[in-house]
Amino acid sequence: MLSNEMADLIKQRERKGKKKKSQIPYSIGLILIAIILFIILLQKQYTYAVCWILGIGIGIVLRYSRFCFSAAFRDPFLVGNTKLLRAMLLAMIISTIGFAVVQHSYLQHNPIDYDLIPGAVTSVGIHVMIGAFLFGVGMIIAGGCGSGVLMRIGEGHGLQWVVLIGFLIGTVLGAKDYSFWYNNIIEKSKTIYFPEYLDFRIVVVVQIAILLGLHRLASWYENRR
C-alpha cells in the first residue's frame, strides 16, 4: 500500500471509529520512560545517550514525513508521484556535501586507506547487483523498507511484525553465509574511489550535478503525467 494511501486509511479509520480514550497519559508515560532511559544511558556511555535521542528524533521525522525508500522508487511507476523520490535525491545531495567535507578534511592529513576513510568505501561487483535486486523485491513485497517497517510497527500495524521476523531471519542467514560471499566475490571485486583518479572537488560537483539533473527529470516526469 502506498504511503499516502496508508495515511488516508488511518484518517478514515479515525473518523469512522468510535470516540477513543485520550492517549495523553500514554504519551506522558512514554516521554518519562524515554527521559529515564536517557539518564541511565548517559551515566553508562555518553554515545549511547546521543544515539538514543537521535533515534527518537529520526523516528518522529519518519512518522510525520511518511518518508520511505520503497515508496520513493515505487510511486513514480504506480501513480506518477515523485515527491518522495525528489526528497530522497535532496537528502543524497545534502549527505554528499556533508561526507565531502568530512572525507576531504581526513584526506588532507592522511593517505587513502579504504578501511579508515570516514564513511563506507567498499568494492563494487555482482554482489551489489544481487543484493540490490533481492532487497528491492523484498521491500516491494513487504510494502516498505527497513525504516518504514519499523515506523509502522510503532504505529501499531500487526502485519509489519511478520516482515520484521523476515528481517531477522534474513540477517541471520546473511551473517551465516557472509564468509562465502566475501571470500568468493567481495574480496575479488574492485574498489572504485573516484578521488583517487580525479580532483576531490570535481567529483563532488559532478555528483551533485547528476543528482540535481535527476531531481529535474523527476519533476518533469511527474508534471508530464
Side-chain angles (χ1 to χ4, degrees):
M1 180 176 290
L2 302 179
S3 56
N4 292 335
E5 293 177 350
M6 182 72 75
D8 293 339
L9 181 59
I10 294 172
K11 292 180 180 177
Q12 290 175 11
R13 288 181 176 177
E14 289 176 349
R15 285 196 294 266
K16 293 179 180 179
K18 298 180 181 178
K19 187 176 180 181
K20 297 179 179 179
K21 295 181 180 178
S22 174
Q23 295 185 337
I24 293 178
Y26 301 105
S27 301
I28 295 175
L30 288 174
I31 292 172
L32 290 175
I33 292 173
I35 294 174
I36 292 171
L37 284 175
F38 172 75
I39 295 173
I40 294 174
L41 292 173
L42 189 62
Q43 293 174 343
K44 298 290 184 182
Q45 180 63 260
Y46 172 77
T47 54
Y48 292 166
V50 173
C51 291
W52 172 245
I53 294 300
L54 287 176
I56 292 175
I58 291 172
I60 293 173
V61 171
L62 286 174
R63 167 65 180 82
Y64 288 100
S65 67
R66 315 302 298 176
F67 192 84
C68 177
F69 282 96
S70 64
F73 289 103
R74 182 190 57 205
D75 288 359
F77 297 102
L78 289 183
V79 296
N81 189 326
T82 63
K83 182 176 66 176
L84 289 177
L85 176 61
R86 285 181 281 129
M88 188 192 70
L89 290 170
L90 286 176
M92 292 177 69
I93 292 173
I94 295 172
S95 64
T96 295
I97 296 172
F99 274 104
V101 172
V102 174
Q103 291 191 356
H104 187 263
S105 301
Y106 174 82
L107 293 176
Q108 282 186 321
H109 306 287
N110 301 281
I112 293 179
D113 185 333
Y114 301 142
D115 296 327
L116 299 178
I117 296 174
V121 180
T122 185
S123 60
V124 60
I126 188 66
H127 60 286
V128 177
M129 296 177 62
I130 296 174
F133 177 77
L134 292 176
F135 182 76
V137 171
M139 72 178 183
I140 293 300
I141 294 175
C145 58
S147 59
V149 169
L150 293 175
M151 175 190 70
R152 286 172 185 152
I153 287 176
E155 291 178 335
H157 296 277
L159 179 62
Q160 305 307 322
W161 283 101
V162 179
V163 180
L164 180 62
I165 294 174
F167 272 178
L168 297 175
I169 294 173
T171 301
V172 172
L173 293 177
K176 177 178 175 297
D177 296 329
Y178 181 76
S179 58
F180 166 81
W181 290 94
Y182 184 81
N183 295 329
N184 294 283
I185 299 179
I186 297 175
E187 189 177 29
K188 299 176 182 177
S189 299
K190 183 175 179 57
T191 299
I192 301 174
Y193 187 56
F194 286 115
E196 279 188 289
Y197 309 99
L198 297 171
D199 184 85
F200 198 97
R201 289 164 293 189
I202 295 177
V203 173
V204 174
V205 170
V206 170
Q207 180 161 314
I208 292 176
I210 292 174
L211 292 172
L212 287 174
L214 291 173
H215 189 279
R216 290 290 301 272
L217 181 63
S219 298
W220 171 82
Y221 176 80
E222 181 174 325
N223 294 330
R224 187 176 68 89
R225 289 171 65 95

